[in-house]
Amino acid sequence: MTVAVGRVTLEHPVVNGSGTLDALAAEAAGLHVAAELAAVVTKTVTPLPRAGNPPPRIAETPAGMLNSIGLANPGIDAFRSTVLPRMRALGRPLVVSIGGFAPNQYASLAAALRDEDGIVALELNVSCPNVESGCLSIGSDPNETRSVTARCAEAAGDLPVWVKLSPNVADVGVMARAAEEGGADALVAVNTLRGAAFDRASGAPLLGGPGGGLSGPAVRPVALSAVAACRAATSLPIVGSGGVGSGQDALAFLDAGASAVAVGTAAFREPLLARRVREELAGLLAAGAGRPSRAESRARSAQPSTAA
Ligand code: FUM
């Protein structure tokens, strides 16, 4: 089950999506979720502390969930002094998600984290739809994406840089290529799809923040399509993210071109989901040994027939 995501070797292909797991709180509650993950991905850290968006911050929708957290986090200084040492003590590889409101903020975060032990990669969040500036405004412009990736790749030293892409763009393949040109080691595809919901009785928005992001089974086909587009546009390894709730879902992401998958929304109901996904995927891969991969099938169908 070992997989390589660029320069990072993972024990198996299942990680968590940024912002969907408080691994420390889970541990305190006796749920050893981190142990089930090949790497623990942190909530996005920004240069300064952020209280986040006003409540309500989540709302259920048919086959999905909307969130508008607003990048609530303690800021990089408190993250390094307080959170990171406790996360390190979990004994799992850490991927730290970083976000900001201008390219130089990402680069300063990368520089601050480059020499910290236990971190195997940085994930650039250029795709959060729930803040009024930064993030998605960078990730929906190929020049900005290329430039912020290049600045972070330089500032991060030897630390691999993954870029988390948004489905809220006309062509995710263009953004994937920009990240590759900027020196990304891997892509994470995708963040949430912009969404909104309104209370039937009052007509008021169900979320308190300025935006909302849809996740869960409803977005899986969107995410699979984005992974396939990234696969076609670049040669970077991809972590597929969006509605993974079973080994079968994970296999679909591998078929689309991903090397690993992130679980998120479904783990709110089933905290140890990562274990089930990993076990089911292992079974499916063993049962399907010899099944041609999607890439092989494509290559075969592209070859001229030699039949008489
Ligand atoms: O609102 C949030 O903090 C969401 C972040 C994200 O989607 O990256």
Side-chain angles (χ1 to χ4, degrees), residues 20-37 40 86-87 89-90 92 266-275:
T20 65
L21 167 69
D22 182 338
L24 298 175
E27 211 61 25
L31 284 166
H32 305 302
V33 181
E36 305 299 334
L37 297 161
V40 177
R86 295 175 62 211
M87 295 214 59
L90 294 171
R92 303 303 295 154
F268 280 67
R269 282 218 176 86
E270 186 184 342
L272 295 173
L273 171 69
R275 180 197 295 168

Side-chain angles (χ1 to χ4, degrees), residues 43-44 53 67-72 125 127-130 164 191-192:
K43 173 69 181 164
T44 301
N53 288 339
N67 87 79
S68 183
I69 310 300
L71 297 180
N125 183 350
S127 45
C128 171
N130 304 334
K164 186 162 186 179
N191 207 320
T192 54

Side-chain angles (χ1 to χ4, degrees), residues 28-237:
L31 284 166
H32 305 302
V33 181
E36 305 299 334
L37 297 161
V40 177
V41 184
T42 71
K43 173 69 181 164
T44 301
V45 185
T46 54
L48 296 175
R50 286 179 57 81
N53 288 339
R57 289 179 169 179
I58 56 170
E60 278 198 61
T61 61
M65 183 179 85
L66 285 167
N67 87 79
S68 183
I69 310 300
L71 297 180
N73 79 96
I76 187 66
D77 291 344
F79 177 80
R80 286 178 71 193
S81 62
T82 310
V83 181
L84 191 52
R86 295 175 62 211
M87 295 214 59
R88 220 180 258 131
L90 294 171
R92 303 303 295 154
L94 301 176
V95 175
V96 178
S97 169
I98 59 174
F101 303 91
N104 66 325
Q105 295 191 355
Y106 287 82
S108 69
L109 290 163
L113 292 165
R114 62 184 276 169
D115 296 323
E116 292 282 7
D117 288 338
I119 303 176
V120 296
L122 298 179
E123 179 180 287
L124 310 192
N125 183 350
V126 291
S127 45
C128 171
N130 304 334
V131 285
E132 277 163 356
S133 64
C135 282
L136 181 51
S137 72
I138 295 172
S140 46
D141 178 325
N143 293 326
E144 294 266 306
T145 298
R146 186 183 306 105
S147 154
V148 81
T149 306
R151 291 175 72 163
C152 287
E154 190 182 346
D158 292 334
L159 214 47
V161 168
W162 299 0
V163 179
K164 186 162 186 179
L165 298 173
S166 173
N168 303 294
V169 294
D171 186 348
V172 70
V174 169
M175 302 306 157
R177 215 172 297 123
E180 184 173 46
E181 287 162 2
D185 280 74
L187 303 170
V188 182
V190 283
N191 207 320
T192 54
L193 191 60
R194 261 197 181 120
F198 297 85
D199 182 70
R200 278 194 197 160
S202 67
L206 283 182
L207 294 172
L214 182 66
S215 58
V219 304
R220 194 184 314 125
V222 175
L224 287 169
S225 158
V227 168
C230 291
R231 178 72 300 123
T234 77
S235 59
L236 292 177

